């Protein structure tokens, strides 16, 4: 992935994070996804007074991608704050798996820049995905 593309994902995630609704945790997150058509889709976390109803940034970005017709993730960038890396939560890793291969690059950033790079396979090893539902016994 070239630097220009990473910068575009970074800028998109940083702008998305500005829109986060996180009055309870105060932990704002932005996510940017690159689809198979080279388009970028973004999401931010949206919390709720009924806490479990809150939604992660990655899920919002996936919904935006699907709505726009995208079905194959090429890259993901998640941007948060704090000392610890803002890696996708377990549920989001599985949501990414629906549209991404083990080799999918998952970049982690904060507002000052890129901090780490993983593959989805590293974050979610031996995962269960769409292929498991193909060619199953009758
Ligand atoms: N959050 C995300 O948006 N993505 C993640 O992968 C980790 C957590 C959000 C959910 C919640 O609004 C806040 O961060 C604190 O958990």
């Amino acid at each position: 992935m070239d630097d220009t593309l990473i910068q575009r994902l970074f800028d998109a995630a940083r702008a998305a994070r500005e829109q986060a609704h996180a009055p309870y945790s105060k932990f704002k997150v932005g996510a940017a996804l690159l689809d198979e058509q080279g388009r970028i889709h973004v999401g931010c976390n949206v919390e709720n007074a009924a806490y479990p109803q809150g939604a992660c940034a990655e899920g919002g970005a996936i919904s935006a991608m699907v709505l726009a017709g995208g079905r194959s993730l090429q890259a993901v960038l998640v941007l948060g704050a704090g000392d610890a890396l803002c890696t996708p939560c377990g549920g989001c890793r599985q949501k990414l798996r629906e549209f991404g291969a083990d080799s999918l690059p998952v970049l982690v950033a904060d507002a000052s820049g890129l901090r780490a790079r993983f593959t989805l396979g590293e974050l979610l090893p031996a995962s269960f995905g769409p292929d498991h539902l193909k060619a199953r016994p009758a």
Side-chain angles (χ1 to χ4, degrees), residues 18-114:
E18 295 298 313
Q19 301 304 322
H21 175 71
Y24 309 110
S25 71
K26 316 278 189 213
F27 190 82
K28 294 184 169 193
V29 183
L33 313 178
L34 181 72
D35 76 8
E36 72 275 25
Q37 297 178 51
R39 300 176 302 180
I40 290 175
H41 308 277
V42 296
C44 62
N45 55 331
V46 181
E47 297 183 349
N48 193 285
Y51 290 178
Q53 299 305 324
C56 285
E58 295 92 325
I62 289 170
S63 295
M65 180 185 83
V66 169
L67 181 62
R71 291 293 185 274
S72 174
L73 287 168
Q74 306 301 306
V76 177
L77 190 147
V78 182
L79 192 148
D83 290 339
L85 290 176
C86 186
T87 45
C89 76
C92 286
R93 294 176 194 200
Q94 183 65 37
K95 288 179 184 178
L96 293 169
R97 177 68 183 85
E98 184 68 17
F99 302 102
D102 276 352
S103 58
L104 174 70
V106 179
L107 312 178
V108 180
D110 62 22
S112 53
L114 207 59

